[in-house]
């Protein structure tokens, strides 16, 4: 590995991948080459997904061409954008295999940053590949929820609650809207008080919240869908929206580097054990919290320090370990406000209304992605 010419490969073109590229470019080291690989030409501000389902005409405001962003921040550093899917990685010989419309190709690296993120069952909430799939999913949900008489949302986390709130605000008086949390209550990470408040706010919007009943599957037949539950019962609806959980994009990684859920294991400095030239960043991390807040406030100090030391050889750099912040989460429940905590403290509803409920931060979408 030559200090005079370093090839840095970044896997992932969303929040973490773009943030990693900006960090590398910030060193203004023209002896480095950066290659970023993504399965989509555009990054997607998925934070706004629940609002976009109601207002799909705003989709263009939350999509950002990755290559254009790289060019903007490159600082004269040589870079290349590859549209493709990573099929496999080999940490032992510092290489990976990418497949795209031109076929398969092998790429060697000096340093690898795995920032491949995670995906959701419905691509309306996260990119699952090409951004057009997400556009199509958002428009489909907009169209089908408009026409539906009964809508079921599955999932008691932020995405499920936000989606239920948006639908309740528009249709709560004219449609049957049911949220199955699959747990003892929604937003349990915020504590029992906030969970009870969430139920109250959703109920006022006309959303029925059902706890302690977990779905196992749902099937679509014609224009109707049927949700199957663990107790063996089922329920029909015109639209079923799966808004639970995420799956790490880690199929291309050797399982020995992953935890039991498929997330990338690293040390507290985000380095893969035994491979100091392989770093992780973002949702893919086993020690992360799958949020933009975690990336910005918990991971970045560690990442910037380890890049300075390992990639650029700044021996005076003092490594900073990953350090999770106290619970910080603001969840809009319609356009009137919501519930949340900021660094463990109460996040008042009027703050959530001002910061997020108003436009789901669409006006701030480019801050991290463009």
């Amino acid at each position: 590995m030559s200090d005079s010419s370093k090839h840095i490969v970044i896997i992932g073109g969303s929040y973490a991948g773009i943030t990693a590229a900006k960090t590398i470019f910030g060193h203004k080291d023209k002896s480095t080459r950066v290659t970023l690989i993504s399965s989509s030409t555009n990054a997607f501000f998925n934070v706004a997904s629940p609002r976009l389902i109601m207002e799909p005409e705003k989709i263009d405001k939350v999509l950002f061409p990755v290559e254009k962003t790289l060019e903007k921040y490159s600082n004269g550093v040589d870079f290349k954008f590859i549209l493709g899917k990573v099929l496999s990685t080999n940490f032992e010989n510092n290489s990976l295999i990418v497949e795209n419309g031109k076929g398969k190709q092998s790429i060697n690296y000096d340093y690898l940053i795995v920032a491949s993120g995670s995906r959701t069952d419905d691509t309306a909430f996260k990119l699952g590949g090409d951004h057009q799939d997400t556009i199509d999913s958002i428009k489909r949900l907009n169209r089908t929820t408009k026409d539906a008489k009964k809508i079921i949302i599955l999932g008691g986390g932020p995405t499920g609650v936000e989606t239920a709130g948006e639908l309740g605000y528009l249709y709560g008086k004219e449609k049957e809207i049911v949220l199955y949390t699959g747990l003892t209550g929604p937003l349990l990470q915020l504590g029992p008080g906030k969970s009870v408040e969430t139920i109250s706010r959703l109920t006022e919007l006309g959303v029925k919240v059902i706890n302690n009943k977990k779905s196992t599957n749902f099937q679509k037949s014609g224009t109707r869908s049927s949700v199957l539950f663990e107790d063996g019962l089922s329920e029909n609806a015109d639209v079923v929206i799966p808004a639970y959980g995420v799956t790490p994009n880690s199929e291309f990684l050797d399982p020995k580097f992953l935890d039991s859920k498929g997330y990338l294991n690293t040390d507290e400095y985000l380095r893969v054990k035994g491979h100091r030239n392989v770093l992780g960043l973002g949702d893919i991390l086993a020690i992360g919290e799958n949020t933009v807040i975690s990336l910005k406030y918990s991971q970045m100090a560690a990442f910037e320090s380890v890049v300075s030391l390992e990639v650029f050889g700044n021996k005076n750099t003092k490594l900073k370990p990953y350090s999770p912040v106290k619970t910080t989460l603001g969840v809009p429940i319609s356009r009137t406000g919501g519930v949340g905590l900021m660094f463990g403290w109460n996040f008042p509803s009027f703050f959530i209304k001002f910061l997020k409920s108003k436009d789901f931060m669409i006006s701030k979408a480019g801050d991290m992605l463009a």
Side-chain angles (χ1 to χ4, degrees):
M1 189 181 303
S2 171
D3 289 335
S4 63
S5 178
K6 305 183 185 74
H7 185 204
I8 305 162
V9 173
I10 301 170
I11 302 174
S14 190
Y15 302 101
I18 289 173
T19 299
K22 290 179 180 180
T23 301
I24 300 296
F25 292 148
H27 285 260
K28 300 180 181 180
D29 186 340
K30 295 184 180 180
S31 70
T32 61
R33 294 184 297 119
V34 175
T35 298
L36 187 145
I37 305 166
S38 176
S39 57
S40 174
T41 56
N42 283 253
F44 170 57
F45 186 70
N46 71 300
V47 172
S49 291
R51 178 61 53 82
L52 293 172
I53 293 170
M54 306 300 112
E55 300 176 353
E57 66 274 8
K58 294 182 178 179
I59 291 174
D60 288 345
K61 296 181 179 180
V62 297
L63 291 168
F64 304 93
V66 176
E67 193 166 8
K68 184 176 180 180
T69 300
L70 297 178
E71 183 176 358
K72 178 180 177 181
Y73 291 95
S74 63
N75 283 319
V77 175
D78 184 28
F79 76 88
K80 182 178 182 180
F81 172 73
I82 295 179
L83 176 64
K85 180 180 181 181
V86 179
L87 299 180
S88 63
T89 52
N90 189 324
F91 294 171
E92 306 300 330
N93 67 8
N94 298 332
S95 69
L96 52 86
I97 303 294
V98 180
E99 182 177 41
N100 56 22
K102 298 179 182 179
K104 297 178 183 179
Q105 66 178 114
S106 178
I107 297 175
N108 296 314
Y109 61 81
D110 295 311
Y111 295 92
L112 177 66
I113 300 172
V114 182
S116 50
S118 58
R119 62 186 182 274
T120 49
D121 282 1
D122 195 314
T123 55
F125 299 113
K126 264 181 177 284
L127 290 181
D130 188 272
H131 67 281
Q132 188 61 47
D133 294 338
T134 291
I135 293 173
D136 292 344
S137 292
I138 288 171
K139 289 182 176 180
R140 170 183 53 79
L141 284 177
N142 173 262
R143 183 179 63 256
T144 56
T145 52
K146 274 183 180 178
D147 295 339
K149 293 182 179 179
K150 181 176 181 179
I151 303 167
I152 290 177
I153 304 110
L154 303 175
T159 303
V161 169
E162 289 173 351
T163 303
E166 290 293 295
L167 288 167
Y169 182 82
L170 283 184
Y171 303 126
K173 294 181 180 180
E174 59 187 83
K175 302 177 189 291
E176 183 180 359
I177 303 171
V178 185
L179 173 68
Y180 282 95
T181 68
L183 300 166
T184 56
L187 301 180
L188 295 178
Q189 62 269 57
L190 297 179
K194 293 294 184 184
S195 184
V196 170
E197 182 182 349
T198 298
I199 294 173
S200 176
R201 286 179 174 273
L202 287 172
T203 301
E204 288 177 3
L205 292 168
V207 177
K208 183 178 181 180
V209 180
I210 298 178
N211 302 316
N212 298 306
K213 190 166 184 176
K214 191 172 184 179
S215 63
T216 58
N217 194 9
F218 71 93
Q219 300 171 346
K220 186 173 178 62
S221 177
T223 59
R224 297 279 284 175
S225 294
S226 178
V227 182
L228 308 177
F229 296 96
E230 283 186 336
D231 59 10
L233 298 177
S234 63
E235 185 172 353
N236 295 324
D238 299 297
V239 178
V240 176
I241 304 175
Y244 47 78
V246 294
T247 301
N249 295 319
S250 60
E251 290 81 3
F252 58 89
L253 296 170
D254 189 323
K256 70 182 179 182
F257 298 112
L258 308 178
D259 70 3
S260 60
K261 295 181 180 179
Y263 292 92
L264 180 66
N265 281 320
T266 63
D267 63 16
E268 66 269 39
Y269 306 113
L270 313 186
R271 300 175 298 197
V272 172
K273 296 173 183 177
H275 299 275
R276 294 166 67 101
N277 67 327
V278 181
L279 309 176
L281 187 68
D283 285 5
I284 194 65
L285 290 175
I287 59 175
E289 287 115 23
N290 296 116
T291 66
V292 176
I293 294 294
S294 173
L295 171 64
K296 187 173 182 179
Y297 294 104
S298 297
Q299 300 177 28
M300 282 312 299
F303 182 74
E304 288 168 352
S305 70
V306 77
V307 164
S308 178
L309 177 66
E310 299 290 2
V311 178
F312 293 101
N314 297 325
K315 302 302 182 185
N316 293 326
T317 299
K318 182 178 180 181
L319 288 179
K320 299 177 181 179
Y322 167 85
S323 178
V325 297
K326 290 186 177 180
T327 302
T328 298
L329 180 65
V331 182
I333 304 176
S334 85
R335 305 174 190 217
T336 62
V339 299
L341 296 175
M342 180 176 285
F343 302 111
W345 296 89
N346 181 48
F347 201 168
S349 178
F350 69 87
F351 272 139
I352 295 174
K353 179 181 179 180
F354 175 74
L355 294 175
K356 196 172 180 183
S357 296
K358 186 177 179 180
D359 71 345
F360 261 76
M361 301 179 72
I362 290 174
S363 58
K364 302 288 186 181
D367 289 357
M368 291 185 72
L369 297 176

